[in-house]
Amino acid sequence: MSNNIYIQGLGIISAIGNNAQECLDSLQSRADGVAKMNYLQSAHKNELPVAEVKKSNKELADMAEMPASLTRTALLSTIAAKEALADAAIESITDWKIGFISANTVGGMDKTEDFFKDFLQDASKGKLRDVVNHECGSATEIVAEELGATDYITTISTACSSSANSIFYGARLIRNGILDIAIAGGADALTKFTLNGFNTLMILDKEPCKPFDENRKGLNLGEGAAYVVLVSERVMKTLGKQPYCKLSGYCNANDAYHQTASSPDGTGSYLAMKGALEKSGLQLTDIDYINLHGTGTQNNDSAEGTAIKRLFDPHYPKLSSTKAYTGHTLGASGGVEAVFASLAIKHGLIYPNLRFETQIADQPFAPETQLIRQDVKNVLSNSFGFGGNCSSLIFSKV
């Protein structure tokens, strides 16, 4: 048996769809999910657009078949993880060592905010059940128990690279014989805490974002959850379903430049992409598509572009950011884009970079603006987080 790690199942819920097929349809029809706030109650409701999942907590609970008292992060996570496991079509998970590696950055902050609204008015008020699932690990444990994926459970929280790191950690667990199957990805819900924090950093766009555009003004926050089911070759050969692709390369690098900014020369981004390529054994010219981290901030797009120029010049793959569709889903973003990368390979698609108008002046390339149908063999997916925590994954056709 080889050391190949296969993507056997996909699950996702985001602002552009409640499952993988709906998201794929939206990507192909250029239907983005950025809009005025509806479910999040914020003082910035009429000022800052966001990419919300178009469901109330009660509706999410019904979809997840879980109590509505759970945190929104846990509900989103349950829905996407259940879809991924069902899609993998593994008849009996009890025959294998199976784990759940999930990422998030906000934990149960939505319920904590509900608690403090009452508690700060009167210390005898506030429902303690709203804070018991506050920490990031709580959502992971709830979902793992629901899935029956309890041979190995862990939570990863490395800002915006969180679920990319969870995916390649899952691959390493399989390669080292600790697991046979890993459900890996992440989830994050929109909260006032997150919105206010990013607004304080002055990196939110008051209009729908324009990743990799010269006149970009910031990002739009989003929410969602996405998971891939990773399996060993031994497991894959027992299944009656072809895998979407394989995870051929991965790397994490940290330039430790600044708490919230990427280094101007894109050192962490460059090292992550270079390391993933080396791990995969592929050449630069083998990459057909880069799913950019592409948040729409001045700093990120400049740094990521600089790193791409340093690594790929003069031959650039086709590239685009899908965050113009989904917003920046933070701890879920690497999982969301892993699902999109897997679908790009299966269906032969390069996604358009919505709202792009003007090429960045000091970058010798521009993102794709139209949906392209072509054979896609290798996709590089970037997830770059605060603190310089940068990760790149490479997905390859089997």
Side-chain angles (χ1 to χ4, degrees):
M1 292 291 179
S2 72
N3 275 330
N4 286 338
I5 305 297
Y6 297 93
I7 310 297
Q8 194 67 38
L10 305 177
I12 182 171
I13 181 168
S14 76
I16 62 170
N18 299 321
N19 53 54
Q21 185 59 54
E22 289 182 9
C23 288
L24 178 62
D25 292 344
S26 293
L27 289 166
Q28 294 182 91
S29 62
R30 304 175 67 92
D32 73 283
V34 180
K36 181 180 175 180
M37 285 180 223
N38 186 25
Y39 299 101
L40 181 65
Q41 299 305 308
S42 165
H44 303 293
K45 185 170 186 175
N46 296 316
E47 176 189 359
L48 298 172
V50 293
E52 292 176 300
V53 170
K54 311 301 189 283
K55 297 285 183 184
S56 67
N57 279 21
K58 174 64 170 64
E59 290 170 317
L60 292 175
D62 290 343
M63 289 176 65
E65 299 180 316
M66 298 286 276
S69 58
L70 289 179
T71 66
R72 192 168 174 89
T73 299
L75 294 172
L76 292 168
S77 177
T78 303
I79 292 164
K82 280 184 171 181
E83 182 194 3
L85 189 54
D87 185 43
I90 300 166
E91 287 189 7
S92 178
I93 63 170
T94 57
D95 293 341
W96 308 99
K97 293 176 291 184
I98 180 169
F100 187 54
I101 299 93
S102 187
N104 72 79
T105 66
V106 76
M109 183 62 74
D110 61 316
K111 291 292 185 182
T112 303
E113 290 173 349
D114 291 342
F115 170 81
F116 274 101
K117 185 171 62 177
D118 296 328
F119 180 76
L120 292 174
Q121 297 295 320
D122 183 343
S124 68
K125 294 186 177 179
K127 298 175 182 176
L128 287 174
R129 72 181 184 193
D130 284 341
V131 295
V132 294
N133 293 319
H134 172 78
E135 73 274 13
C136 290
S138 178
T140 304
E141 292 171 8
I142 289 168
V143 179
E145 189 69 31
E146 177 70 9
L147 298 173
T150 56
D151 291 313
Y152 191 99
I153 305 168
T154 195
T155 304
I156 291 181
S157 190
T158 56
C160 311
S161 59
S162 299
S163 51
N165 286 336
S166 78
I167 289 168
F168 87 69
Y169 183 50
R172 291 175 61 189
L173 290 169
I174 293 172
R175 279 188 165 155
N176 285 281
I178 297 167
L179 292 175
D180 300 307
I181 301 166
I183 305 163
D188 256 336
L190 276 167
T191 68
K192 291 192 266 302
F193 174 84
T194 321
L195 187 76
N196 293 344
F198 275 81
N199 195 39
T200 301
L201 293 172
M202 297 184 288
I203 56 173
L204 294 180
D205 197 337
K206 294 183 179 181
E207 302 292 333
C209 65
K210 300 167 67 172
F212 270 76
D213 191 284
E214 172 71 15
N215 300 309
R216 64 198 182 280
K217 295 179 180 177
L219 60 85
N220 305 134
L221 285 173
E223 64 178 352
Y227 295 90
V228 296
V229 177
L230 304 166
V231 301
S232 66
E233 183 159 319
R234 188 162 67 97
V235 174
M236 187 271 288
K237 290 196 171 197
T238 69
L239 304 175
K241 178 176 181 286
Q242 285 296 308
Y244 287 89
C245 55
K246 63 182 179 180
L247 180 65
S248 59
Y250 46 80
C251 183
N252 171 265
N254 196 321
D255 57 28
Y257 173 77
H258 186 270
Q259 294 97 322
T260 60
S262 302
S263 60
D265 57 0
T267 301
S269 311
Y270 169 79
L271 291 172
M273 291 187 289
K274 182 172 179 285
L277 275 162
E278 289 171 352
K279 182 79 174 175
S280 71
L282 296 169
Q283 301 301 309
L284 290 168
T285 51
D286 292 326
I287 300 299
D288 299 299
Y289 172 49
I290 302 176
N291 188 307
L292 299 161
H293 185 55
T295 61
T297 66
Q298 286 291 329
N299 173 251
N300 175 86
D301 294 5
S302 176
E304 186 176 7
T306 299
I308 289 169
K309 179 181 177 182
R310 179 179 173 188
L311 185 61
F312 284 93
D313 189 68
H315 303 293
Y316 298 100
K318 293 181 174 67
L319 41 78
S320 67
S321 169
T322 50
K323 288 185 175 68
Y325 284 93
T326 63
H328 191 354
T329 55
L330 305 181
S333 62
V336 167
E337 287 154 32
V339 169
F340 291 170
S342 301
L343 292 171
I345 289 171
K346 180 179 179 182
H347 297 283
L349 299 171
I350 308 290
Y351 308 119
N353 196 110
L354 302 182
R355 296 184 285 278
F356 175 83
E357 294 176 345
T358 307
Q359 185 171 327
I360 297 175
D362 60 355
Q363 292 182 3
F365 59 85
E368 302 301 324
T369 59
Q370 301 297 322
L371 182 73
I372 298 172
R373 298 184 185 276
Q374 66 168 66
D375 187 30
V376 178
K377 294 186 177 69
N378 300 291
V379 177
L380 172 65
S381 184
N382 288 336
S383 298
F384 304 146
F386 283 174
N389 195 298
C390 299
S391 293
S392 293
L393 306 176
I394 296 177
F395 300 89
S396 297
K397 180 173 280 191
V398 177

